[in-house]
Amino acid sequence: MTASPVFGKVYMVSQLTDAFARKFYYLRLSITDVCNFRCTYCLPDGYKPAGATNKSFLSLDEIRRVTRAFAALGTEKVRLTGGEPSLRRDFTDIIAAVRENAAIRQIAVTTNGYRLARDVKAWRDAGLTAVNVSVDSLDARQFHAITGQDKFRQVMAGIDAAFAAGFERVKVNTVLMRDVNHHQLDTFLAWIKPRRIQLRFIELMETGEGGSLFREHHISGATIRDELLKRGWIHQLRNRADGPAQVFCHPDYEGEIGLIMPYDKDFCASCNRLRVSSSGKLHLCLFGDGGVSLRELLADDSQQGALIARIEEALTYKKQTHFLHDGNTGITQNLSYIGG
Ligand code: SAM
Ligand code: SF4
């Protein structure tokens, strides 16, 4: 139990812990549903507002309040995601607002990379500590086919700009898809050999809208893991605020490989993150829960105590696993809604 000052008052809060003794150090905060890409596995027909307008996304002040509450509850890391978070005009201000919390030591973004070359320096100056860029192919034409955008070179320039801005390591997310990129391991390895990139293969997840794509293209990350081990890659240990990636390194490579395997039987045992959607709902799991509304407690600073209590209460309902193995996709129609 620790004392945490929030706007003059001192709240006695304990580290967020659920009924299965999992501790939650990590918040994934979606700040918009809007995206300018049309990734085949996420928004194949592009972004369409679902009743909500842009106005209903969390405001800068609401973001300030929600991250302050999580900081008081022991959150050490916040990832800003979306939709495409960098489409928010106030994105740099959002980073600065999250940074106001001294307890939050890591502020990361997951981005499609299209604004990186222009803005990554300003983001770093505002307090961003880590960048994840989604790149599913190193072939410009295939990249275009997957994302619906002819922006491969722009995204590559963005990664270079992130290094130039002072990020020592950049993470790249690659959704692993059978017959699309699963046979391109050599190309990916050659790319990271001289670069301090952690390239993370994410197993394709089934969503409400992506059932047929999933059946056609899902492949287990175990195929990559076996290949890496055969080639002398070494499995590393993880830190407590790290994501669920299994990370592999090799003495001849500057880069690393990460594997995110949500269908692995032990995946949920290491869960350390909670999610807040762009409309202010707390989601205990990426899949299968309707979310607990925090919005009405974000309107002003006076409700901070109630906000903290609602988050703590909600956590008591977190389930042990996501039941994806049973084909349960919950309400998650696509991951742009909740930020992956
Ligand atoms: N637009 C940003 C981006 O693409 O990086 C952030 C939001 S996106 C929803 C976050 C991550 O989720 C991306 O790395 C994306 O590749 C991944 N993702 C989206 N749909 C997925 C799916 N069905 N299975 C696995 N990963 C998915
Ligand atoms: Fe947009 Fe990211 Fe979804 Fe691709 S994965 S459509 S970039 S939100």
Side-chain angles (χ1 to χ4, degrees):
M1 190 84 76
T2 54
S4 173
V6 178
F7 260 54
K9 294 183 182 163
V10 174
Y11 295 95
M12 295 307 290
V13 289
S14 46
Q15 171 66 49
L16 281 174
T17 307
D18 73 0
F20 306 96
R22 293 175 296 196
K23 293 190 188 308
F24 296 85
Y25 298 102
Y26 178 11
L27 170 68
R28 293 180 71 103
L29 177 62
S30 175
I31 56 172
T32 180
D33 292 357
V34 182
C35 190
N36 55 337
F37 280 26
R38 297 189 298 272
C39 299
T40 48
Y41 48 79
C42 183
L43 292 173
D45 302 320
Y47 168 73
K48 295 200 182 63
T53 64
N54 290 4
K55 275 201 191 117
S56 71
F57 300 137
L58 291 175
S59 70
L60 185 58
D61 277 339
E62 289 174 315
I63 290 170
R64 189 173 273 121
R65 290 184 190 111
V66 79
T67 52
R68 197 190 296 143
F70 274 92
L73 287 166
T75 295
E76 296 172 357
K77 173 174 173 180
V78 171
R79 175 171 303 283
L80 299 168
T81 179
E84 176 46 40
S86 65
L87 290 179
R88 289 255 323 221
R89 294 223 173 99
D90 55 356
F91 186 57
T92 307
D93 298 332
I94 290 173
I95 295 168
V98 178
R99 192 196 185 180
E100 287 168 16
N101 302 289
I104 296 174
R105 296 200 292 266
Q106 299 178 57
I107 307 174
V109 61
T110 303
T111 173
N112 63 27
Y114 114 112
R115 278 286 182 236
L116 267 182
R118 195 189 76 175
D119 292 341
V120 70
K121 174 81 171 65
W123 300 345
R124 185 169 162 88
D125 291 346
L128 194 73
T129 62
V131 179
N132 284 45
V133 192
S134 297
V135 179
D136 299 320
S137 173
L138 294 172
D139 174 87
R141 271 188 302 181
Q142 192 182 38
F143 180 95
H144 187 174
I146 295 171
T147 61
Q149 287 280 7
D150 188 9
K151 297 220 182 304
F152 176 73
R153 282 176 189 82
Q154 190 173 322
V155 173
M156 289 296 123
I159 293 173
D160 291 343
F163 284 119
F167 289 96
E168 286 190 2
R169 191 173 283 281
V170 172
K171 289 183 180 170
V172 166
N173 290 354
T174 302
V175 177
L176 184 64
M177 289 176 279
R178 182 191 291 281
D179 298 334
V180 176
N181 59 13
H182 91 273
H183 50 285
Q184 296 171 354
L185 182 61
D186 287 337
T187 309
F188 287 113
L189 290 181
W191 186 53
I192 65 163
K193 190 163 188 183
R195 294 181 178 81
R196 292 177 64 79
I197 286 177
Q198 185 187 104
L199 188 137
R200 301 132 58 90
F201 289 108
I202 307 175
E203 271 185 20
L204 180 64
M205 288 179 259
E206 184 174 8
T207 58
E209 291 166 1
S212 60
L213 186 100
F214 176 82
R215 285 186 288 281
E216 196 176 346
H217 294 297
H218 177 262
I219 179 168
S220 166
T223 56
I224 302 282
R225 182 176 58 201
D226 295 347
E227 193 55 40
L228 291 174
L229 292 173
K230 212 159 68 188
R231 297 182 189 199
W233 288 72
I234 300 148
H235 191 183
Q236 287 179 325
L237 292 176
R238 59 197 289 278
N239 293 321
R240 67 183 187 181
D242 284 347
Q246 303 173 33
V247 177
F248 297 81
C249 60
H250 190 291
D252 299 342
Y253 287 73
E254 286 292 320
E256 298 169 340
I257 294 286
L259 288 177
I260 301 180
M261 298 168 53
Y263 294 90
D264 209 38
K265 68 174 172 35
D266 294 328
F267 184 76
C268 299
S270 61
C271 186
N272 62 358
R273 77 269 315 278
L274 294 169
R275 294 175 165 82
V276 171
S277 74
S278 58
S279 58
K281 279 190 172 179
L282 169 65
H283 290 268
L284 303 173
C285 179
L286 179 54
F287 291 93
D289 78 271
V292 174
S293 179
L294 304 179
R295 198 87 192 250
E296 56 277 21
L297 300 177
L298 296 175
D300 57 62
D301 291 324
S302 69
Q303 304 184 83
Q304 200 75 12
L307 177 61
I308 288 172
R310 186 169 297 180
I311 297 167
E312 287 186 307
E313 220 254 296
L315 193 62
T316 61
Y317 297 102
K318 186 165 164 67
K319 298 193 181 119
Q320 191 167 13
T321 180
H322 51 38
F323 304 108
L324 274 186
H325 327 81
D326 306 333
N328 168 30
T329 61
I331 54 142
T332 310
Q333 289 306 304
N334 60 64
L335 298 197
S336 76
Y337 160 69
I338 190 173

